[in-house]
Amino acid sequence: MGYKTYTCPIARDCGGCEWLAVPYPIQLHRKQEQVEKLLGSMAQEDGAAVEGIRGMAEPVRYRHKAATPFAYGGRGHVLSGFYAAGTHRIVRCQDCLVEDERARRVLNGVARVAERLHIPPYDEDRGTGVLRHAVVRCGWKTDDVLLVLVSRVNELRGERTVVNELRAACPEVTSIVLNVNDRRTNAILGRRSRTLYGPGVMHDQLLGCRFEIGPTSFYQTNPEQTEVLYQLALEGVGGAERALDAYCGTGTIGICAAAASPGLQVTGVEQVRGAVACARRNAAANGVDGRCRFVAADATAWMAREGAHERFDVVVMDPPRAGSTPEFLDGVARLSPKRVVYVSCNVVTQARDLALLRERGYRLERVAPVDMFPHTKHVECVATLVRR
């Protein structure tokens, strides 16, 4: 029986879906092998095993966040699409197999509006022009669509006309935000945002909880698999009474855990103040604000100060791709929780950090890989550790 494969006319130029020509079951097998190679021996030594990877039933249309750069195309045209692999040459894209169907339609609509209104795209070599990027976030369980226009300048000429044209060209958009990035940088988003239309945020649902997502909020790109990932994390939390949610962002994991366990008290720590304010609103919206508190602080420093005087049954950590730090892991060990749930988007750095936690008195109880990004080499993993 042959495997189903997928095709894309710009796959070679774009480079985003590097494994698109590989049948999906083989992709999953490769990712399973990657996790077993990195974590299998540790798990075996601790009497555990790497579980089978959780893949998608249909690995398309899973990306609910998409972005495009803009560039001059000659004769007044504005180019949009993807950067060709390893370059800043834009490859045009009419529709992307792995994106929500609304996303590329909206992004291309922005380019056409920019052409009609003569909004100059950004020239990264000269540092001139106006329109740098557009980012769109589409609700999975809602119809919300948040469009973020990234500009080099604080104000667009004729903003009301721009908004009216965008609403006509992209009727699915429910909110438009102007983000200002005036730095010479490869980073897409700047530090300042201003709402041009709608509430300035979007909402989505995970595991029955409703979340507000702002223009710069971290929110998983693949919400369908995020539910799988979070459910594994919640199983690791188990019957705990007090949980520390480190790297908590806008509070999604901690709030889902509190909603699932009525007796659970959650403390979330996050150094981005805007994310903490959003987490507090999300907790109130889901009726768990009495059991969830969120602190704006560096998690490592907070554990050394306030955290040292508190008792936690479980620590949940979801660090960035660079992983955690020895200082943070030492702080976790000093708190001495019964369990640690480590959610990772980079199994290489997770393996390094798990080795340190094992040295500090923990053993692996469960290792569960999840495929969040089909057709790429990336794999995520939830590891649960218990104190020896």
Side-chain angles (χ1 to χ4, degrees):
M1 181 177 178
Y3 290 134
K4 181 178 181 180
T5 57
Y6 301 90
T7 59
C8 170
I10 63 169
R12 289 187 177 180
D13 288 329
C14 165
C17 296
E18 53 200 339
W19 281 359
L20 187 63
V22 180
Y24 189 54
I26 298 176
Q27 294 181 33
L28 294 178
H29 179 71
R30 289 179 180 179
K31 295 181 183 188
Q32 180 80 27
E33 285 187 327
Q34 179 185 349
V35 177
E36 289 179 351
K37 180 179 179 181
L38 289 164
L39 304 182
S41 60
M42 282 192 284
Q44 189 174 20
E45 288 173 12
D46 291 346
V50 176
E51 298 180 5
I53 188 169
R54 274 75 167 174
M56 299 190 72
E58 190 66 26
V60 295
R61 304 296 180 191
Y62 63 83
R63 298 187 72 101
H64 287 255
K65 176 185 175 184
T68 181
F70 297 102
Y72 287 104
R75 297 184 179 181
H77 292 301
V78 175
L79 299 180
S80 66
F82 299 102
Y83 282 135
T87 77
H88 276 200
R89 175 178 64 85
I90 290 182
V91 178
R92 291 191 174 191
C93 177
Q94 291 303 313
D95 181 49
C96 176
L97 183 72
V98 297
E99 291 175 351
D100 183 291
E101 291 180 336
R102 296 165 289 182
R104 198 53 45 179
R105 190 164 62 238
V106 169
L107 296 174
N108 288 334
V110 174
R112 302 292 76 77
V113 169
E115 284 182 358
R116 286 198 299 273
L117 300 182
H118 306 290
I119 302 173
Y122 180 68
D123 185 321
E124 60 183 350
D125 294 327
R126 296 182 175 87
T128 59
V130 173
L131 194 60
R132 298 179 65 136
H133 290 84
V135 182
V136 64
R137 296 171 180 256
C138 304
W140 176 46
K141 293 288 184 70
T142 71
D143 293 327
D144 286 5
V145 177
L146 170 62
L147 172 62
V148 181
L149 305 175
V150 185
S151 167
R152 185 183 64 86
V153 298
N154 293 321
E155 188 172 343
L156 300 176
R157 186 175 61 188
E159 276 186 359
R160 180 166 294 184
T161 301
V162 174
V163 169
N164 289 339
E165 288 276 337
L166 287 171
R167 291 181 62 194
C170 314
E172 53 270 90
V173 170
T174 56
S175 201
I176 303 173
V177 170
L178 181 70
N179 176 269
V180 180
N181 185 355
D182 54 10
R183 297 171 294 159
R184 300 289 289 267
T185 173
N186 287 330
I188 292 180
L189 295 173
R191 297 184 179 94
R192 306 190 304 278
S193 295
R194 179 165 55 87
T195 301
L196 303 182
Y197 165 71
V201 298
M202 62 160 286
H203 295 86
D204 206 0
Q205 296 177 18
L206 292 171
L207 296 177
C209 295
R210 183 175 173 86
F211 294 101
E212 171 190 311
I213 302 108
T216 59
S217 300
F218 173 77
Y219 186 69
Q220 294 280 5
T221 302
N222 184 344
E224 180 179 346
Q225 288 295 87
T226 299
E227 285 201 331
V228 176
L229 195 77
Y230 284 8
Q231 185 58 51
L232 289 166
L234 266 55
E235 291 169 8
V237 171
E241 296 179 358
R242 294 177 59 83
L244 172 62
D245 182 8
Y247 309 96
C248 73
T250 55
T252 48
I253 294 180
I255 290 169
C256 286
S261 303
L264 180 65
Q265 298 282 334
V266 175
T267 298
V269 182
E270 168 63 52
Q271 61 182 348
V272 179
R273 292 186 176 276
V276 170
C278 186
R280 290 167 179 164
R281 292 193 296 272
N282 284 331
N286 289 285
V288 295
D289 47 323
R291 295 187 290 113
C292 291
R293 64 169 175 137
F294 294 97
V295 181
D298 174 79
T300 304
W302 185 88
M303 285 191 295
R305 297 192 308 267
E306 291 85 348
H309 306 291
E310 301 195 32
R311 176 187 63 81
F312 294 103
D313 303 307
V314 61
V315 171
V316 180
M317 51 187 293
D318 185 6
R321 286 193 61 78
S324 190
T325 65
E327 294 78 15
F328 177 90
L329 299 171
D330 283 339
V332 171
R334 282 193 295 271
L335 291 180
S336 194
K338 296 176 183 176
R339 307 170 73 81
V340 177
V341 179
Y342 190 140
V343 181
S344 173
C345 60
N346 184 347
V347 186
V348 173
T349 55
Q350 185 183 34
R352 177 200 68 201
D353 294 343
L354 291 178
L356 287 174
L357 285 170
R358 293 173 74 235
E359 289 175 3
R360 285 153 179 75
Y362 287 84
R363 67 171 177 85
L364 279 167
E365 181 184 64
R366 187 179 193 187
V367 178
V370 179
D371 185 24
M372 297 284 285
F373 296 100
H375 315 305
T376 76
K377 296 178 181 178
H378 298 294
V379 60
E380 311 229 350
C381 188
V382 179
T384 304
L385 304 99
V386 295
R387 196 173 65 224
R388 293 186 190 275

